[in-house]
Amino acid sequence: MSDSIQIRPMTAADRSDVAELICLSTNVWYQSHGRPLIFSGGPASTTVFFDVYNALTPGCGLAAVNAEGRLVGSCFYHPRPTHVSLGIMNVHPNYFGAGVARRLLARIIEIAEQQGKPVRLVSSAMNLDSFSLYTRAGFVPRTPYQDMFLNVPPEGLRLSTELDRFVRPAVLDDVEAMVALEREVAGLDRGLDYRHFIANREGFWHMSVLEDGSGKLEGFMASSGSAGCNMVGPGTARTPAQAAALLLGELNVQRGRCPVFLAPVQCSELVRTLYAWGAKNCETHFSQVRGPCQPIQGVHMPTFLPESC
């Protein structure tokens, strides 16, 4: 069946079909494994992936089509100065196991190799098919993350940390320091993403920074209020205490909602704090890298939109 599949660039005309595929493919997989719907809002909520990726890096999407020209697979990729990230990948349920994802992944690896960059992604530990797909292609699991969620009451979380007074909303003038911090902590540069979050043209992004007593930037955290991806992250901080203060600030931006966030398993101090706040686990993910990878020197929290690790 894979011999009849063609990989081509995604176009604006694919927007609604891609949204429908993302919704259908993801929901079918989770339901077939006894889990609730991920996208309960239907395809209207999943157009956000097409819109955000095309706003950040237009034209960086791939479509897999069958002999009749119907969309059977899709994937986004996001070139950054330090790496290429692999965004959300989906295959129509009728084509599960037909090699569509392998073909899409091979094309993105080819693009990254042409640019001389590693490829990074965040993958579910539950989905052993995708885990095997990536590790067979040379990806190495680097950091495990606990997917956690927390119901934020309409009045907000009546909690505090000792560093709350150092947290403030991010502005565009912070981006240079944010990039420098993330390069130090994780060896990554995602300045384009952070400018996009702060500009907030879609109307659902928010971003905070944390400074020390002298005004030096020590951490940052974003959040997305999109119906298709209500998450806190990405974020970077030097210490778990700083990450907790930033996370609390962004959780309170999402009042009345139930955002998800990815906490590094090895940051036990942060995880204990999150449990004390009432957070619960819902899944486990791994950051995976194909190519060079700097060890994390602090706290690094990825997200799913845009895919970051």
Side-chain angles (χ1 to χ4, degrees):
M1 186 182 294
S2 62
D3 292 342
S4 64
I5 301 300
Q6 299 297 317
I7 307 298
R8 62 165 174 79
M10 199 179 290
T11 70
D14 295 315
R15 181 176 182 266
S16 61
D17 288 342
V18 169
E20 185 172 352
L21 176 63
I22 291 172
C23 182
L24 173 66
S25 172
T26 307
N27 283 344
V28 165
W29 192 91
Y30 275 89
Q31 285 188 299
S32 68
H33 289 77
R35 303 295 294 271
L37 294 175
I38 294 296
F39 298 121
S40 58
S45 67
T46 52
T47 56
V48 67
F49 292 94
F50 185 98
D51 294 343
V52 168
Y53 275 104
N54 277 280
L56 284 165
T57 45
C60 291
L62 296 177
V65 296
N66 64 14
E68 290 75 39
R70 297 186 62 180
L71 185 74
V72 298
S74 66
C75 189
F76 299 95
Y77 61 98
H78 186 17
R80 295 176 169 116
T82 50
H83 63 289
V84 173
S85 77
L86 184 100
I88 188 168
M89 179 186 291
N90 292 92
V91 175
H92 193 284
N94 291 346
Y95 287 79
F96 283 176
V100 176
R102 177 176 49 79
R103 295 273 302 278
L104 288 165
L105 179 61
R107 178 63 185 127
I108 291 173
I109 289 173
E110 180 184 357
I111 291 168
E113 289 179 342
Q114 290 170 351
Q115 298 180 14
K117 296 175 182 176
V119 188
R120 303 179 68 98
L121 58 89
V122 180
S123 69
S124 170
M126 283 178 50
N127 191 335
L128 294 180
D129 290 333
S130 67
F131 183 86
S132 299
L133 171 72
Y134 298 132
T135 54
R136 285 177 185 273
F139 287 82
V140 178
R142 296 292 184 176
T143 305
Y145 290 92
Q146 297 180 208
D147 296 35
M148 307 183 81
F149 66 92
L150 182 61
N151 281 297
V152 183
E155 66 274 16
L157 295 166
R158 295 178 178 175
L159 302 166
S160 63
T161 80
E162 61 183 12
L163 299 178
D164 291 347
R165 67 187 185 278
F166 298 113
V167 177
R168 62 166 174 81
V171 297
L172 287 173
D173 285 346
D174 293 318
V175 172
E176 184 177 344
M178 292 160 63
V179 169
L181 175 64
E182 191 170 31
R183 277 191 175 270
E184 181 181 341
V185 170
L188 305 178
D189 182 337
R190 296 182 293 179
L192 176 66
D193 301 47
Y194 302 142
R195 290 184 179 89
H196 186 83
F197 301 159
I198 295 168
N200 191 25
R201 292 183 179 90
E202 288 100 349
F204 55 72
W205 299 107
H206 190 270
M207 196 157 205
S208 299
V209 296
L210 183 147
E211 298 174 325
D212 65 12
S214 66
K216 180 183 177 183
L217 192 142
E218 293 284 88
F220 57 85
M221 190 76 66
S223 66
S224 163
S226 162
C229 189
N230 183 205
M231 287 194 70
V232 177
T236 298
R238 295 188 189 280
T239 70
Q242 293 167 348
L246 286 159
L247 187 55
L248 178 60
E250 289 301 317
L251 284 169
N252 276 326
V253 171
Q254 304 297 328
R255 295 181 180 190
R257 306 192 69 182
C258 186
V260 176
F261 39 92
L262 301 181
V265 170
Q266 70 270 27
C267 292
S268 57
E269 177 185 339
L270 176 61
V271 171
R272 285 195 301 271
T273 297
L274 297 175
Y275 281 139
W277 291 353
K280 297 180 180 180
N281 292 304
C282 56
E283 199 173 336
T284 305
H285 274 71
F286 288 100
S287 68
Q288 296 205 46
V289 185
R290 186 182 189 274
C293 177
Q294 173 184 310
I296 303 298
Q297 306 293 327
V299 182
H300 202 245
M301 297 176 62
T303 187
F304 302 138
L305 181 69
E307 194 94 4
S308 64
C309 61

